[in-house]
């Protein structure tokens, strides 16, 4: 069980995919690989990552697999405090659609003071390559993720009160 944060998830996180029309048009079922490299100026005392995808996502932090989440209506929740370090870190998520519209949503809350959410700063590709979950991996050729809209947008309509798995 993870301690309740003062900052609610999904405030800054956006649904993302590799196609800007993914929330309104049928998407294929080819896995998409998403990454965000971010810096921390100190090792956090608390860090909670929530992630979900329409339909399935497998989440990694700094090369360590955290788990697979399905269905999207119940986001996964991971205490990743021990996995984060001062300096560069990476969140890497494999998301797979199962017909219809598609999207990925993730929110990391660090030390109850900062939310790092999915958005256009995330990188995406359909062919990840070896070691794609490692901080050192070069994702310079990957595309920027397309922002679909806020967590509360249809068809998903997730909000700060959406119950995560593991809560």
């Amino acid at each position: 069980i993870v301690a309740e944060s003062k900052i609610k998830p999904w405030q800054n996180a956006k649904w993302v995919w590799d196609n800007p029309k993914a929330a309104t048009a049928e998407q294929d079922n080819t896995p998409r690989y998403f990454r965000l490299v971010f810096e921390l100026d100190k090792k956090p005392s608390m860090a909670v990552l929530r992630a979900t995808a329409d339909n399935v996502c497998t989440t990694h932090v700094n090369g360590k697999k955290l788990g697979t989440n399905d269905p999207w209506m119940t986001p996964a929740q991971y205490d990743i405090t021990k996995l984060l370090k001062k300096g560069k870190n990476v969140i890497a998520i494999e998301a797979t659609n199962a017909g219809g519209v598609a999207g990925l949503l993730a929110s990391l809350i660090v030390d109850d003071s900062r939310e790092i959410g999915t958005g256009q700063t995330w990188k995406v590709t359909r062919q990840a390559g070896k070691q794609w979950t490692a901080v050192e991996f070069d994702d310079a050729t990957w595309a920027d993720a397309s922002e679909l809209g806020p967590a509360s947008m249809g068809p998903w309509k997730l909000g700060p009160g959406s119950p995560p798995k593991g809560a």
Side-chain angles (χ1 to χ4, degrees):
I1 296 188
V2 177
E4 188 65 26
S5 173
K6 292 178 188 131
I7 295 178
K8 295 296 181 196
W10 320 130
Q11 299 300 309
N12 297 314
K14 306 282 193 263
W15 284 98
V16 295
W17 204 246
D18 67 345
N19 178 334
K21 299 193 183 315
T24 57
E26 178 103 9
Q27 301 297 298
D28 67 42
N29 298 341
T30 304
R32 272 47 164 210
Y33 302 90
F34 294 86
R35 285 174 47 91
L36 178 72
V37 175
F38 60 97
E39 298 244 357
L40 295 175
D41 53 10
K42 65 180 176 104
K43 180 161 178 50
S45 58
M46 189 269 308
V48 177
L49 175 63
R50 291 170 179 83
T52 191
D54 185 352
N55 288 90
V56 179
C57 66
T58 301
T59 304
H60 308 258
V61 171
N62 292 339
K64 179 170 176 34
K65 180 178 174 181
L66 303 177
T68 300
N69 188 61
D70 174 31
W72 65 264
M73 296 81 75
T74 309
Q77 178 171 284
Y78 307 103
D79 181 340
I80 62 168
T81 308
K82 293 178 180 173
L83 298 176
L84 297 180
K85 61 188 193 295
K86 178 180 177 180
K88 281 188 180 178
N89 293 273
V90 66
I91 300 170
I93 300 175
E94 177 183 350
T96 306
N97 189 32
V101 298
L104 167 70
L105 183 70
S107 169
L108 169 62
I109 297 181
V110 179
D111 288 337
D112 240 357
S113 62
R114 177 179 174 198
E115 181 188 19
I116 300 169
T118 39
Q120 64 188 13
T121 57
W122 285 58
K123 297 293 193 174
V124 62
T125 189
R126 291 179 183 219
Q127 301 202 341
K130 293 182 179 178
Q131 303 298 315
W132 73 278
T133 64
V135 174
E136 306 79 26
F137 182 84
D138 183 4
D139 59 15
T141 62
W142 291 26
D144 293 339
S146 294
E147 284 188 8
L148 307 178
S152 59
M153 75 175 287
W156 303 293
K157 299 180 181 164
L158 288 180
S162 297
K165 284 184 183 172

